[in-house]
Amino acid sequence: IYVLSDFLRGQHLFSHLFSSRVSALSFRSTPLRFYLFLVKAELIGWQHIDFGFEWRCTSISHFGMAIERILKDDASEEKGERARMASFVGAMAIADLVKTTLGPKGMDKILQSTGRGQTVTVTNDGATILKSLHIDNPAAKVLVELDISKVQDDEVGDGTTSVVVLAGELLREAEKLVASKIHPMTIIAGFRMAAECAREALLKKVVDNKANEEKFKTDLMKIAKTTLSSKILSQDKEHFAKLAVDAVLRLKGSTNLESIQIIKKPGGSLKDSFLDEGFILDKKIGIGQPKRIENANILVANTAMDTDKVKIYGARVRVDSMAKVADIEAAEKQKMREKVDKILAHGINCFVNRQLIYNFPEELFANAGVLAIEHADFDGIERLALVTGGEIASTFDNPESVKLGHCKLIEEIMIGEDKLIKFSGVEMGQACTVVLRGASHHVLDEAERSLHDALCVLSQTVNDSRVLFGGGWPEMVMAKAVDELARTTPGKRSHAIEAFSRALVAIPTTIADNAGLDSAELVARLRAEHNKEDSNAGIDVISGSVGNMSELGISEAFKVKQAVLLSATEAAEMILRVDEIITCAPRRREDRM
């Protein structure tokens, strides 16, 4: 057995034949030190070798002799095959969790919090489900917290379930390829080629009707109905699609959804929901104040209007008579009167405050004929300042530096049993309010999430007006193009490209499965239809067969499909690259005794 050492920086080859029963010897050497790993050795005790160094050998029955630990005691690491398997399993488990919510017949999940009150959420929105999960597996976190579902939700608003399901299917296929000894980097190269090919195939099929206003509005209606068909609003999707399209077209190309306010009021049915121009604030008008103001000048403020007590904490005021207490109260009142006079000097007839307004200042405002609204929530006053063109003020010494808001009419309205304040004819003309009605808070919360998804997709489509058919049609178009690429690609990459095609077909398969249909039969018929020239075939879950997406009016935004494809591929690629998972040791509290 030869031992190689760089002893004293010189390269020497030593050979020494052990007479003991050592069946194998492997080693690692560093200057002046040898690490010898003995396998199946039976020597115990100290042994001296002619070359002047010594080692201690214990009986070992396998190759895993303990070496000096690099990581802390509580830290752990998984390498190679085990690390890759942990990554695959975690990501696929997340995909399987949300898979049943995909498509028009997707099921809902109940999410129960463990905190105080144990709030319950009923939803089939992929982003909401994934946000609520507390996950331990690092690869699953890539799909949920840190990466694709959140980015997809922020970027285009819809497709969060699709992106996780596709990433999970890509990893399921990659696992089989890794098991058949294909290197992860080869798989990644194949996936990249396939993703680019799939994107090119979609680009050839897009339709853009932005030049024709009537056709473009029809496209938006179809996209809104397709987006809402998998949500709680699917029963009234015609009504809500029109509502969402009208709200988005008011934005005139802007993607800032801040100017669309959604108010939820329990009572009535979902069909009673309506869109109202202007801004509605969920507050009541105070007693003795004007109920209607025309050509309003609005000061939006965040300031304390409750100064009828000494505001120095821990302060004690000693007096020797009640008259002096009255003097203090009078001084406080005078201070408040001066503050109100400063506010009135701005020439306003409506004052909206983030904080409380106590009775005395409210009385002063009422005497001056100014409408004072107190305790408007922070989102409320920020949005009000935005839509009326004003700014939130905290000090009132320089009226010329404060920007007031303006609107044509302020009036009190009734929705159900509640009184609200409506601001009409606001400076930001595109501002509007959607009032949602429904049986319970759970229904209203889910309706708001559904409508928000539709508004996001539509606002993005107004900017990028390219449209595709839906119902599994885009996936079949991409799968067909990727299959053709696989047939012309030499080498092992063709296996990865083929696997990519199979992963794409998993989306229409899942849509069919969730609708209780025979997915194998439907997908086979769909594939046959797509081999014909210019096929518009997709899955019609209502009739349970293959249908023409053009006639059924099922459309999706190109931007959503592109984001799903690219995000899922990149996430799968990131997880595929993993060959080691290192879990850091938890921080311990130092003993401060």
Side-chain angles (χ1 to χ4, degrees):
I1 296 164
Y2 290 94
V3 181
L4 181 66
S5 165
D6 47 359
F7 186 67
L8 296 177
R9 304 280 177 196
Q11 298 299 315
H12 301 284
L13 194 65
F14 298 101
S15 67
H16 184 74
L17 188 61
F18 292 89
S19 56
S20 56
R21 288 171 294 159
V22 180
S23 57
L25 174 71
S26 72
F27 60 88
R28 193 167 69 209
S29 67
T30 58
L32 303 177
R33 231 172 134 190
F34 290 87
Y35 289 90
L36 296 165
F37 298 83
L38 298 178
V39 181
K40 293 183 183 172
E42 293 176 6
L43 292 170
I44 293 180
W46 293 94
Q47 297 289 332
H48 293 272
I49 301 180
D50 299 339
F51 305 114
F53 66 89
E54 56 185 22
W55 80 98
R56 182 164 184 168
C57 170
T58 55
S59 179
I60 300 167
S61 60
H62 64 284
F63 200 69
M65 179 179 176
I67 59 167
E68 292 178 28
R69 283 184 66 85
I70 299 170
L71 304 173
K72 283 189 175 180
D73 286 347
D74 294 338
S76 65
E77 61 176 333
E78 291 178 17
K79 290 189 177 182
E81 201 61 39
R82 283 190 63 182
R84 200 168 281 122
M85 278 305 298
S87 301
F88 286 162
V89 168
M92 289 188 294
I94 290 294
D96 290 341
L97 178 73
V98 294
K99 192 185 269 188
T100 54
T101 68
L102 188 69
K105 302 276 183 176
M107 305 301 280
D108 286 9
K109 309 275 184 209
I110 289 182
L111 310 171
Q112 185 172 8
S113 75
T114 53
R116 188 182 298 168
Q118 297 201 340
T119 53
V120 170
T121 307
V122 183
T123 184
N124 77 343
D125 179 42
T128 308
I129 294 166
L130 294 172
K131 260 186 276 189
S132 308
L133 299 177
H134 294 280
I135 291 169
D136 197 32
N137 185 289
K141 282 188 178 179
V142 170
L143 288 191
V144 183
E145 294 170 19
L146 318 174
D147 207 7
I148 57 172
S149 72
K150 187 176 183 305
V151 170
Q152 182 77 12
D153 195 37
D154 296 346
E155 189 70 19
V156 286
D158 196 23
T160 47
T161 309
S162 305
V163 76
V164 175
V165 170
L166 181 55
E169 289 300 327
L170 286 171
L171 289 168
R172 205 184 299 277
E173 294 295 335
E175 185 191 3
K176 296 172 193 168
L177 295 175
V178 169
S180 60
K181 299 289 184 285
I182 296 177
H183 194 275
M185 283 304 168
T186 309
I187 300 170
I188 287 168
F191 278 5
R192 280 188 179 171
M193 288 171 67
E196 193 51 44
C197 170
R199 187 172 166 278
E200 293 294 329
L202 281 187
L203 277 169
K204 288 175 190 167
K205 300 276 187 177
V206 291
V207 178
D208 192 342
N209 289 323
K210 192 153 193 182
N212 185 330
E213 199 173 313
E214 197 58 43
K215 276 188 175 178
F216 183 53
K217 192 169 180 182
T218 310
D219 279 348
L220 289 178
M221 280 293 289
K222 286 178 182 175
I223 288 170
K225 282 194 276 190
T226 305
T227 303
L228 294 171
S229 64
S230 62
K231 317 280 184 191
I232 195 172
L233 303 176
S234 58
Q235 303 305 316
D236 306 307
K237 63 184 176 188
E238 194 78 41
H239 174 67
F240 281 99
K242 187 173 186 313
L243 199 134
V245 170
D246 287 349
V248 166
L249 288 177
R250 291 176 70 92
L251 297 178
K252 298 182 177 65
S254 165
T255 55
N256 180 15
L257 297 178
E258 282 289 311
S259 49
I260 300 175
Q261 188 193 17
I262 298 176
I263 286 182
K264 298 174 287 188
K265 284 289 166 196
S269 70
L270 284 169
K271 215 169 227 169
D272 298 333
S273 306
F274 62 92
L275 176 75
D276 209 335
E277 66 91 23
F279 180 84
I280 296 176
L281 192 64
D282 196 354
K283 285 285 154 198
K284 294 177 186 172
I285 291 177
I287 297 162
Q289 294 181 350
K291 303 284 184 194
R292 180 186 171 91
I293 292 177
E294 292 184 11
N295 298 321
N297 293 324
I298 306 159
L299 176 59
V300 185
N302 183 12
T303 185
M305 298 298 288
D306 55 352
T307 327
D308 55 358
K309 52 187 176 292
V310 176
K311 278 288 179 88
I312 303 166
Y313 294 103
R316 287 184 180 182
V317 181
R318 290 190 177 180
V319 291
D320 50 16
S321 70
M322 285 304 290
K324 289 186 179 171
V325 175
D327 289 345
I328 292 171
E329 285 181 354
E332 287 282 352
K333 278 194 168 183
Q334 183 56 36
K335 190 176 162 192
M336 179 52 73
R337 185 177 273 110
E338 286 168 10
K339 188 170 187 177
V340 171
D341 288 342
K342 280 182 188 174
I343 291 169
L344 293 174
H346 290 72
I348 59 169
N349 48 15
C350 176
F351 177 68
V352 183
N353 192 25
R354 164 78 182 85
Q355 300 178 39
L356 287 169
I357 302 176
Y358 270 33
N359 294 354
F360 178 62
E362 192 174 49
E363 187 187 317
L364 295 177
F365 282 125
N367 292 341
V370 171
L371 168 61
I373 302 164
E374 66 170 2
H375 222 249
D377 62 277
F378 204 76
D379 280 350
I381 65 160
E382 284 212 325
R383 196 178 262 126
L384 180 62
L386 175 79
V387 299
T388 57
E391 286 177 359
I392 299 171
S394 297
T395 55
F396 311 101
D397 294 325
N398 303 311
E400 65 280 353
S401 66
V402 175
K403 192 177 177 187
L404 299 179
H406 303 280
C407 76
K408 288 178 183 167
L409 177 67
I410 300 175
E411 60 185 339
E412 192 171 56
I413 60 167
M414 288 277 291
I415 297 175
E417 300 295 311
D418 299 329
K419 291 180 178 176
L420 299 96
I421 304 167
K422 181 181 173 187
F423 296 77
S424 308
V426 292
E427 195 122 306
M428 186 187 265
Q430 60 260 45
C432 57
T433 303
V434 177
V435 179
L436 290 176
R437 309 299 311 281
S440 71
H441 285 290
H442 292 139
V443 172
L444 287 173
D445 288 344
E446 180 65 354
E448 183 189 18
R449 284 189 287 269
S450 308
L451 192 61
H452 179 261
D453 281 2
L455 291 171
C456 284
V457 174
L458 291 173
S459 66
Q460 296 291 340
T461 310
V462 168
N463 284 345
D464 185 346
S465 53
R466 293 172 291 180
V467 175
L468 298 160
F469 294 123
W473 177 88
E475 285 78 17
M476 296 310 293
V477 166
M478 292 190 281
K480 183 186 172 190
V482 171
D483 265 339
E484 285 167 9
L485 175 68
R487 280 199 289 274
T488 58
T489 305
K492 287 184 176 178
R493 282 181 303 180
S494 63
H495 294 295
I497 296 169
E498 215 172 299
F500 196 95
S501 166
R502 287 196 296 273
L504 286 168
V505 175
I507 300 270
T509 305
T510 306
I511 292 172
D513 283 338
N514 289 347
L517 306 173
D518 184 352
S519 59
E521 168 74 15
L522 274 177
V523 170
R525 280 166 58 188
L526 205 54
R527 190 180 277 117
E529 284 290 327
H530 274 268
N531 273 321
K532 297 173 187 172
E533 202 62 41
D534 292 330
S535 170
N536 294 337
I539 292 176
D540 178 7
V541 293
I542 308 302
S543 68
S545 62
V546 172
N548 187 324
M549 297 294 105
S550 178
E551 290 169 10
L552 292 168
I554 298 173
S555 294
E556 292 188 62
F558 168 74
K559 193 165 183 183
V560 173
K561 280 292 161 198
Q562 177 178 264
V564 166
L565 176 71
L566 300 181
S567 298
T569 310
E570 285 169 11
E573 181 183 320
M574 187 189 291
I575 293 169
L576 257 174
R577 286 174 178 271
V578 172
D579 76 333
E580 186 166 355
I581 298 173
I582 300 168
T583 309
C584 297
R587 286 179 64 184
R588 289 182 179 171
R589 287 187 179 177
E590 292 176 19
D591 202 6
R592 297 181 184 274
M593 294 296 286

